[in-house]
């Protein structure tokens, strides 16, 4: 009997699970997503899994790409792009939204659509809106396809810094002073919104940080030292998101902690410290990814401080109903207390990124980390859980 005539369950037992690595996307973090995909593709154990790389272009087309991780690296300080990796300028990949079928189909104009086979699990490495924010997760839930990482709600909360902070506050987690300016407020009364910001500065002091509410990788963030820099900073933030946050400067040390889901629940890694970056005004996108500013792993903390930040990181994971993985970012303030800044449901994930480095120091290698996340996704049902 050929494998084509075997019952579905038996046929699946005869083949390796198929992992679709989905990367790129429409957000301003497109390039770093491609870099992350290259690292994940390199790390997946090909003796255990089949792999299907799917890139999403900046205009939203799902493209079939070659399985060539070496082409997904930063070159001459320039980020890679899905358009450079796509096998066709016009062909598109379509994932069925029928929960009874996990078939992936590839089609080009004027050609007969070609079935690429079924996908058992999706490993999304999309950063920012249209991927990390619950949109892709919702599509995968409709399709009945398991996927790595947080679900729809946790992804949405983890992407929107306003609601993330509201959830943290409701669970008693310490957050720093901030205010939110929504699109309608700015469009209808920019002068009033600007006064709110200067009043906030009068209460909490300069400098301020102006940041997009739903972006990551420190993109669009500006440190503003006085009122003269506000308009330019707001324009830069709104270039990435019409809603933006204003935060006061928290004086202290930047501490990060990874959380990973194990069979018995989430556990925290050893924490890391991001030292002051002398070549940059703060730990911005270029410091993170272009100039590869490095953190200290493990962070030089007391045993009590380490235990406290690990406890808070797991509480943040639980408060936002996360699954799979999270990186939680904190400030250890001058008075000795921790303040949570944000979480990332899909943190930087190259081997030199802080999240994998913290787990490497905690005894989980990058390859083991990728494998654990895939296995956890395969074991986790889609739908309400």
């Amino acid at each position: 009997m050929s494998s084509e005539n075997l019952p579905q369950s038996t046929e699946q037992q005869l083949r390796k699970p198929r992992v679709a690595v989905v990367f790129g996307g429409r957000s301003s973090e497109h390039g770093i997503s491609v870099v992350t995909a290259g690292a994940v593709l390199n790390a997946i154990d090909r003796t255990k899994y089949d792999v299907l790389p799917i890139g999403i272009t900046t205009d939203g087309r799902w493209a079939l790409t070659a399985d060539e991780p070496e082409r997904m690296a930063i070159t001459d300080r320039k980020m890679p792009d899905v358009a450079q990796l796509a096998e066709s300028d016009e062909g598109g990949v379509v994932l069925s939204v029928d929960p009874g079928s996990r078939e992936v189909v590839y089609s080009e104009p004027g050609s007969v659509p070609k079935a690429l086979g079924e996908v058992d699990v999706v490993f999304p490495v999309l950063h920012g809106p249209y991927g990390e924010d619950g949109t892709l997760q919702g599509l995968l839930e409709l399709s009945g396809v398991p996927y790595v990482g947080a679900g729809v709600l946790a992804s949405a909360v983890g992407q929107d810094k306003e609601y993330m902070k509201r959830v943290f506050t409701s669970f008693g987690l310490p957050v720093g002073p901030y205010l939110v300016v929504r699109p309608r407020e700015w469009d209808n009364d920019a002068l009033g919104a600007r006064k709110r910001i200067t009043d906030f500065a009068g209460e909490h002091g300069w400098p301020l940080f102006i940041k997009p509410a739903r972006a990551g990788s420190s993109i669009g963030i500006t440190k503003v030292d006085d009122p003269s820099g506000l308009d330019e900073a707001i324009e830069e933030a709104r270039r990435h998101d019409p809603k933006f946050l204003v935060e006061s400067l928290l004086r202290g040390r930047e501490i990060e902690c990874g959380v990973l889901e194990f069979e018995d629940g989430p556990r925290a890694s050893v924490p890391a410290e991001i030292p002051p970056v002398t070549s940059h005004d703060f730990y911005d996108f270029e410091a993170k990814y272009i100039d590869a500013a490095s953190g200290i792993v493990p962070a030089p903390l007391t045993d009590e401080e380490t235990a406290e930040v690990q406890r808070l990181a797991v509480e943040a994971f639980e408060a936002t109903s996360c699954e799979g993985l999270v990186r939680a970012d904190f400030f250890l303030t001058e008075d000795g207390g921790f303040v949570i800044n944000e979480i990332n449901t899909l943190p930087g994930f190259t081997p030199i990124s802080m999240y994998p480095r913290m787990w490497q120091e905690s005894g989980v290698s990058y390859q083991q980390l990728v494998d654990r996340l895939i296995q956890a996704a395969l074991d986790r049902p889609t739908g309400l859980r």
Side-chain angles (χ1 to χ4, degrees):
M1 179 184 291
S2 71
S3 61
E4 296 173 341
N5 296 321
L6 289 173
Q8 183 70 16
S9 60
T10 307
E11 183 180 348
Q12 287 181 332
Q13 292 173 9
L14 295 178
R15 65 174 177 84
K16 294 180 286 188
R18 197 166 203 212
V19 182
V21 179
V22 180
F23 62 96
R26 295 162 56 190
S27 83
S28 51
E29 298 173 76
H30 179 99
I32 194 60
S33 172
V34 179
V35 175
T36 302
V40 170
L41 288 168
N42 260 329
I44 292 178
D45 184 349
R46 304 307 176 94
T47 66
K48 292 179 64 175
Y49 307 104
D50 287 327
V51 176
L52 178 66
I54 300 174
I56 301 177
T57 63
T58 53
D59 61 2
R61 178 172 62 93
W62 288 45
L64 190 62
T65 67
D67 186 5
E68 299 176 358
E70 65 278 3
R71 296 174 57 198
M72 301 179 183
I74 299 171
T75 306
D76 297 328
R77 301 176 68 87
K78 292 182 180 179
M79 288 288 176
D81 190 284
V82 167
Q84 302 166 353
L85 302 165
E87 294 192 349
S88 165
D89 293 335
E90 296 182 305
V93 174
V94 177
L95 178 66
S96 171
V97 292
D98 177 2
S101 171
R102 296 176 179 176
E103 189 82 13
V104 175
V105 175
Y106 176 74
S107 62
E108 292 190 60
S111 300
V112 177
K114 179 174 65 174
L116 299 178
E118 290 196 341
V119 166
D120 296 291
V121 62
V122 169
F123 199 130
V125 291
L126 294 146
H127 299 292
Y130 314 112
E132 190 182 352
D133 59 350
T135 50
L136 176 65
Q137 290 75 15
L139 172 64
L140 295 173
E141 291 286 354
L142 287 173
S143 304
V145 179
Y147 53 91
V148 167
V152 175
L153 174 65
S155 296
V157 170
Q159 186 65 41
D160 191 314
K161 294 178 176 62
E162 175 192 359
Y163 289 99
M164 181 196 308
K165 290 176 185 291
R166 290 181 182 275
V167 170
F168 290 159
T169 301
S170 71
F171 277 82
L173 290 160
V175 302
Y178 73 98
L179 65 83
V180 180
V181 180
R182 295 190 175 88
R184 188 177 295 113
E185 178 186 3
W186 184 256
D187 293 338
N188 294 341
D189 187 13
L191 286 177
R194 199 177 191 282
K195 184 180 185 304
R196 272 215 306 139
I197 297 171
T198 54
D199 288 348
F200 178 84
E203 181 180 358
H204 299 288
W206 299 90
L208 302 177
F209 288 90
I210 311 296
K211 58 176 64 174
R214 293 162 290 195
S217 296
S218 298
I219 287 175
I221 300 178
T222 305
K223 181 182 177 185
V224 182
D225 295 312
D226 57 58
S228 66
L230 265 182
D231 290 340
E232 185 177 350
I234 291 169
E235 182 179 345
E236 171 61 15
R238 282 173 54 83
R239 195 164 66 84
H240 301 278
D241 187 345
K243 181 167 78 167
F244 64 91
L245 263 68
V246 181
E247 295 179 348
S248 64
L249 173 67
L250 290 174
R251 301 187 185 279
R253 298 161 61 188
E254 291 190 49
I255 306 295
E256 298 183 348
C257 190
V259 180
L260 180 63
E261 193 170 9
F262 287 77
E263 290 79 7
D264 59 350
R267 302 180 199 169
S269 69
V270 300
E273 180 170 4
I274 307 299
V277 184
T278 56
S279 58
H280 295 261
D281 207 19
F282 63 98
Y283 193 47
D284 62 6
F285 180 84
E286 287 216 348
K288 286 180 179 178
Y289 298 114
I290 304 298
D291 295 332
S294 59
I296 302 169
V297 187
L301 300 171
T302 66
D303 291 344
E304 292 77 12
E305 290 169 337
T306 296
E308 176 65 3
V309 76
Q310 289 175 326
R311 180 186 70 80
L312 290 171
V314 171
E315 281 197 14
F317 183 96
E318 297 281 33
T320 48
S321 299
C322 282
E323 295 168 298
L325 73 164
V326 148
R327 192 193 74 226
D329 300 345
F330 298 86
F331 290 101
L332 177 55
T333 60
E334 293 176 340
D335 65 5
F338 283 100
V339 172
I340 186 164
N341 183 36
E342 63 181 38
I343 58 168
N344 278 268
T345 56
L346 185 62
F349 206 79
T350 68
I352 63 169
S353 298
M354 296 309 300
Y355 183 87
R357 286 183 60 198
M358 288 186 285
W359 278 107
Q360 176 78 43
E361 189 68 25
S362 304
V364 181
S365 72
Y366 188 79
Q367 289 75 18
Q368 291 172 327
L369 191 57
V370 168
D371 188 72
R372 173 166 286 279
L373 289 168
I374 293 172
Q375 284 298 321
L378 286 168
D379 292 340
R380 184 188 309 131
T382 54
L384 298 177
R385 55 189 182 275

